[in-house]
Each structure stands twice: as structure tokens, then as C-alpha cells.
Amino acid sequence: MKTIDELLAEGVAGKRVFVRADLNVPLDGTTITDDGRIRAVQPTVAELAAAGARVIVASHLGRPKGAPDPAFSLAPAAARLGELLGVQVAFATDTVGESARATVAALTDGQVAVIENLRFNAGETSKDDAERGAFADQLAELADVYVGDGFGAVHRKHASVFDLPARLPHAAGGLIATEVGVLKKLTEDVARPYAVVLGGAKVSDKLGVIDHLLEKADRILIGGGMAYTFLKAKGHEVGISLLQEDQVPAVQGYLERAEKLGVEFVLPVDVLVAREFPDLKTKAPAHPTTVAADAIPADQEGLDIGPETRALYAAKLADAATVFWNGPMGVFEHPDYAEGTKAVAQALVDSQAFSVVGGGDSAAAVRILGFDENAFGHISTGGGASLEYLEGKTLPGLAALED
């Protein structure tokens, strides 16, 4: 896999360099609520521009249905990238149409442009190879060189991620190189004890990574909505908590397998419960109560891990040498249910472990809850991509960058 350093050594001055970034940031209207992914790709864009490249930045945002949708425009992200770079960034209002062609043609050496959301074109995400390839052909006409640096999308077999690199000389950007290097530390010659913290809503999203990490981890801590499927698998009442009943047999199998392998599964011992899901807009007080994890009332739902569990998890992380964390411990967006996620983050800050926050909601939580990003070993920009890598899957976007 060619690196950006090798590409820069060959010279990019005057060349049109297509950077597949991940600018898929959360928006409140047109306001970016977390610019972490834009800041992550900014060094690669700045390096290319400083070397005289004519940089074309492209990304998806959200899930538009293959047609333009103003709610998913990349205009706010383009403006923020310009602020971070300290330069004017041009913005094309389409992907491969008249605006994109004109915007790219107007670039001079060292200038940067962002084209509109790639998913406004149905060819980007098409499962039909010919349709996807046709869109990749159009994108290839805009550029001379391809740099893949959108780690959050490398697990997708999309036109700009998988098909376009085959049509242009290509290299991996600095962000992708960093992300892959970090993930290798979680899969090859891991420093032990190795603890994995998994949270989030659905246990089905994490089954693959649990299956793979059972052979590698020393202990696995479970929180978030997925914890209630684990508690159900242990025979406990979970009330109206989030539950994937169809996954209970699979979870029981993992618990049995972990015991045979000597891997410690750590489940909540107490939880915060309420009769209603909290109002995340008004953040009105929710008045939860704390109950033992095996005593959740039938008419209430668990929404965060309790104080005893927070202390337990902090203790289980204190002596770890390596920690991977993906998924919040509760509904961290509401202050009454943020303490569990905050406790895990603080435990990682306090430990001497090489800690990796695995993207998605976990990365957002770290920033929203006010933690210094530099206090962690690495904060990934790609939750889904990180999980699939840890499952041992081949990621299309990485495979496409191989020589």
C-alpha cells in the first residue's frame, strides 16, 4: 500500500488529487455538532495543498436516497474544512456535473475544493457493479491521482471507495495509515491484559467482533442497550429494556465459550431504570432509580449502568495494558444517564493502557462529555470500519489501496 509520503516524494504539484475523506459529521440543521472527522482529515488535505496539488475532497454524509437532499449537503463541512485550513475552500453543488467540472477546472496549484455529497448519485452505493463503475468513471475524469483517507467508509464497497482507486494511481492518506497501524496493535502482539468494552444499542451489531475477540481478549465488559440481551441470557428479568430476544441463544453460546476459553465476561451488577425514555431535546430531569441488574421492574427500562457497575468496570480497566472501547454505556446524551459512559472514559484516562476509542457514538461521547482527546491512545473516526477490521473481515476500501 503506497503511503502519502511516497506520493509526495514523487511530486504532486499541478496534479488534481482526489481525496476520499469522511466528512460524515452530525448536523443540527446546518450546524456541525462534532467536527472530529473533519479535523482528522485536515492534515492530509493541508499536506497535499502545501505540495502544490489541486485537491478535490469528496465524501458522503448521512443516507440520502441516491438523489440531492438539502438536509445532507456537505456545504457546512466544506466551510468548516476551510476554517481549519485557514483558506477559502471552493464548493461544487453537484458530484460529477457542470458545477463539479467547473469548480475543479478553476483550481490552481495549492487550492482545495469540496464536491457535493457522493450519495446524491445512486451510482455511489449501487450493488450493481456496472452502475457503480460508471459513476467511478465520471469521478475519475475529475482527477489524476486518488488518495484514500476516509477510514469511516473503507468497509463499504462503494464507487468512490472501492472502484475509483482501480482507475487512478492511488495511495493511502495519513489518517488511514494511522487507523490501520492502531488496529494492528489490537490484533497482533497485543500487550496484556487486553480488555474490550462494548456498548451501544444492539448486540447484533457486535456479535462478529465478540466472536473474533473471544480468541484474543482477556476480559470483555458489556454495557449499553446490548447489556439487557446478555442479562436476559443469564435468566434475568429486563422489563421493557432494549432486548433482542432472537439473539439470546447466540449470547448464551458466547458466554459458555468464554468460560471455556478463560475469557472474563463482565456484566452490569446494577442499572439506572425509568418508566419512560428521557426527552433528549429538553433534557428535562428524568428521575431514574437504581436497581440491581437482576431486579429490573417489569414496567421499567434500563438506561445506564449503575454506580456499583461503574466502580467495577473502572477496577477491571485499571490494570489493563490494552483497551478497545466501542459503544456508550447508556443514553449519554441525557445528563441523568451520562455517568456510566463518563466513568468508562475516565477509567481509560486514568489507566496506563494503550486505549482506543472505536469511533461512532463513543468518539462523540468523549468530546461531548468534555474529555481531552489527547488523553486517549487513539480515537478512531470509523466505528463500523473498526469493528469489521477486528472481526477479521477484508475491508473493500483497504483492499483497493493495495498495490
Side-chain angles (χ1 to χ4, degrees), residues 7-77:
L7 180 66
L8 291 168
E10 293 172 0
V12 293
K15 292 183 179 179
R16 300 169 301 163
V17 180
F18 187 103
V19 178
R20 198 342 178 151
D22 180 9
L23 308 180
N24 186 28
V25 292
L27 294 171
D28 182 2
T30 58
T31 301
I32 297 169
T33 57
D34 180 2
D35 68 352
R37 284 176 170 164
I38 304 175
R39 286 187 286 111
V41 79
Q42 183 263 342
T44 292
V45 176
E47 234 181 336
L48 289 165
R54 304 177 183 193
V55 187
I56 304 135
V57 181
S59 176
H60 69 287
L61 192 152
R63 296 181 182 272
K65 303 187 183 301
D69 183 339
F72 298 107
S73 174
L74 277 174

Side-chain angles (χ1 to χ4, degrees), residues 2 4 22 75 89 94 131 137 158 166 169 178 190 192 200-201 210 216 236 253 263 269 309 311 333 357 390 402:
K2 181 185 282 188
I4 191 171
D22 180 9
V89 169
D94 57 27
E131 183 180 11
D137 287 340
H158 291 170
T178 298
V190 183
R192 297 187 178 279
I210 292 171
K216 299 180 182 298
H236 301 321
V263 176
V269 294
T309 305
E333 300 91 340
V357 181
L390 293 178
E402 298 289 350

Side-chain angles (χ1 to χ4, degrees), residues 22 24-26 34 36-37 40 151-153 155 175 179 182-183 186 196-201 205-206 209 323-329 332-333 341 344-345 348 355-368 373 376-390:
D22 180 9
N24 186 28
V25 292
D34 180 2
R37 284 176 170 164
F151 180 74
H155 59 313
L175 174 61
E179 294 273 14
V182 165
L183 288 168
L186 299 178
V196 175
V197 186
L198 297 175
D205 292 341
K206 306 292 196 311
V209 76
V323 180
F324 174 71
W325 171 31
N326 181 280
M329 297 292 99
F332 73 92
E333 300 91 340
T341 302
V344 167
L348 298 194
S355 57
V356 178
V357 181
D361 286 341
S362 320
V366 163
R367 289 187 276 266
I368 290 169
E373 295 180 46
F376 302 88
H378 179 70
I379 298 180
S380 179
T381 57
S386 295
L387 289 176
E388 291 200 16
Y389 188 100
L390 293 178

